[in-house]
Amino acid sequence: MQSIGEILLEISELDQASLDRALAVQQEKGGRIGEILLHQKAIQEVDLARAVSKQLDLEFMQYLPSDINTDFTDQVPIHFLKKFKMIPLAGPDGNRLVVYDPFLFQAQDELCQILGWEDVKIVVAPQSAILNATSFAYDISRDTAEEVIQDLHEEDPDLIISEIEETGDLLDDTSDAPVIKLVNLMFSQAVRAGASDIHIEPFKSRVAIRQRVDGILYDMFTPPSHIQAALVSRIKVMAKLNIAEKRLPQDGRTEIRIADKNVDVRVSTLPTAFGERVVLRLLDKSSVLLKLTDLGMTPERLKIFNNLIHAAHGIMLVTGPTGSGKTTTLYAALSTINNTDINIITVEDPIEYQMEGIGQVQVNPKINLTFANGLRSIVRQDPDVILVGEIRDLETAQISIQAALTGHLVFSTLHTNDSSSAVTRLIDMGIEPFLVTSSTNAILAQRLVRKLCKTCREPIEPDLEALQSIGLTMESLEIENDLAEILNKQSIDQTMLSVEGRTIYRDKGCPDCLQTGHRGREGIFELLLMDDDVKTTILRTSDANAIKKVGVQHGMLTLRQDGARKVLEGITTIEEVFRVTEQ
């Protein structure tokens, strides 16, 4: 039988040097070689599961089906399956037991005995896939939202106040209070869908509860208006807010755990005519920071951007509306350049991710710790790189520019529609054009487009007008030789772009993408480099269109052109690109 180490050398990116280091640790401290390699981050969890399945000649499943039979949830406690990292899959083709560690024979036998299974096939899967499938199986087997809402009457105040453990797993919470069950159900469904926000909106006769998934709001459920006070009170208790104060806005936070996900929840309440409106921002703390290569930039643009973030000084601006991924891009840039040789300090509102080795300052207007005041203090901390969460006023802009001119590399964001408009915004704030040109290295505008679900996307034949709506014409894509060549081969009435494997797709919807037709998002980018001609134009005029025209002449891809590229690559749809780039 081959050893796990030998198999991993064949099927993963593991090298012999990393394996030797792990073997030395095993020799000294004991343990299983696969777990040591995981701890050292030399392999991925999926690699280990695949290697174990190959060693034992067992079936391997990287992803578990979304429509599993949940009958076992009435017989087996969730903590038992989570402890031993296994889940039973019953089906017409026979019973399968999906496990992460096939050597836990006693636990497997106990589970089969509980379920009354005799002939069982063992399947190996990654730990994360098993834990997620377990959590969601117990989630969907619980009372539905409608059943919980039917149980909601005038709640006993003591039940509303009873707190769960701050970091307790909501799926383990067995409270019988309907309002608590409804809140837990709301959170678990939102986390399952990958939602970034939950909105609780009171109206005259109902309460609308919606979730934002991939930037779009979807209805969750609509309970009657009489439960609004109990619902808001429950959330306020979790966030340690004043439940008696209903006339003023309040902000707070709490932390919840759902299966293997630790979720930071920011709570914002706002008094309205029919009661308090609540918005919950969900931040999955267990998610890892994206790398630059994960953002969706083309290799050519990625190379240019990588050079820009390694510059010795100057300002790198990222622009776009709220929720366009600006902070994620800047964090990816910081994590790329972060090492012991440089001093990186940030001033943010709020601090979205905790980053090792970086000094992060939280803005606090209540004690006059504004962006400007924080930035002024940061400059005296001998930084090499400074991240300013947002340039909101003239004072912050002036200090950022002075820092860039005195040898610091400054990253920051602005809320503008495109890269050239950022120049106009800075000049409108009161910054002299010569200061903008001498301090700014480049401006990156971005949006997030929803990616098509590859399970259910459908090829279509778009009409010429739809193609032209996102700039798929010879004129707009002259700088894209490969795309221009493709389009040049199409006759005016032949709109199916399948030349060289290029096909236009549309969304459809399936269980894998929760019937939305989309899974995840990716950036589209517009990078304006401050070359001599662009600087000359800025010194002559602050007109955004004139600046953009010069940038395009020098090879800048606009947001819509970058989106058109992603349409032809089958990543997104024409409608999606048009939606996010419409101004």
Side-chain angles (χ1 to χ4, degrees), residues 292-307 480 482 522 525 527 557 562 565-566 569 571:
L292 283 181
T293 51
D294 299 329
L295 298 178
M297 291 187 188
T298 60
E300 306 82 31
R301 192 173 315 189
L302 188 60
K303 185 177 179 181
I304 296 170
F305 186 70
N306 197 46
N307 290 335
E480 292 294 299
D482 58 334
E522 192 170 287
F525 302 93
L527 183 60
L557 269 184
D562 196 33
R565 179 202 289 267
K566 285 184 165 49
E569 290 174 352
I571 293 172

Side-chain angles (χ1 to χ4, degrees), residues 488-534:
N488 198 32
K489 294 178 181 177
Q490 314 299 313
S491 63
I492 200 71
D493 59 345
Q494 183 187 3
T495 55
M496 184 67 175
L497 296 180
S498 58
V499 179
E500 297 181 12
R502 309 251 183 173
T503 307
I504 305 292
Y505 293 93
R506 70 176 177 193
D507 52 5
K508 183 184 178 185
C510 67
D512 285 352
C513 58
L514 302 179
Q515 304 299 332
T516 64
H518 301 271
R519 291 183 74 177
R521 290 188 289 179
E522 192 170 287
I524 57 174
F525 302 93
E526 175 181 296
L527 183 60
L528 177 66
L529 298 173
M530 284 290 175
D531 59 28
D532 291 341
D533 286 349
V534 172

Side-chain angles (χ1 to χ4, degrees), residues 177-220:
V179 70
I180 294 178
K181 290 166 73 174
L182 181 62
V183 170
N184 292 353
L185 185 67
M186 179 182 73
F187 277 124
S188 61
Q189 285 191 8
V191 171
R192 178 189 179 194
S196 60
D197 303 84
I198 301 173
H199 291 226
I200 301 171
E201 303 162 338
F203 298 103
K204 186 174 182 179
S205 59
R206 64 187 177 90
V207 179
I209 300 179
R210 302 191 289 170
Q211 60 183 354
R212 188 180 295 279
V213 180
D214 291 336
I216 304 294
L217 279 170
Y218 298 95
D219 289 331
M220 293 180 75

Side-chain angles (χ1 to χ4, degrees), residues 1 18 48 73 90 92 126 134 142 163 177 189 210 222 283 289-291 325 359 430 445-446 450 454 467 539:
M1 182 186 294
S18 300
L48 179 57
T73 57
T134 303
R142 288 177 157 209
E163 292 193 58
Q189 285 191 8
R210 302 191 289 170
T222 309
L283 182 67
L289 282 172
L290 290 180
K291 299 177 182 176
Q446 70 176 75
R450 292 180 295 164
K454 291 187 178 180
L467 293 173
L539 292 172

Side-chain angles (χ1 to χ4, degrees), residues 358-371:
I358 291 178
Q360 296 175 275
V361 178
Q362 168 70 57
V363 167
N364 189 349
K366 292 179 181 177
I367 56 173
N368 203 30
L369 179 53
T370 60
F371 275 116

Side-chain angles (χ1 to χ4, degrees), residues 120-132:
V120 179
K121 183 180 180 181
I122 301 295
V123 179
V124 180
Q127 171 179 297
S128 56
I130 294 172
L131 289 176
N132 283 335

Side-chain angles (χ1 to χ4, degrees), residues 83-104:
K83 179 181 178 181
F84 296 107
K85 302 177 184 66
M86 56 186 179
I87 184 170
L89 296 185
D93 300 331
N95 297 327
R96 292 178 294 175
L97 188 56
V98 184
V99 302
Y100 177 62
D101 185 351
F103 298 102
L104 297 175

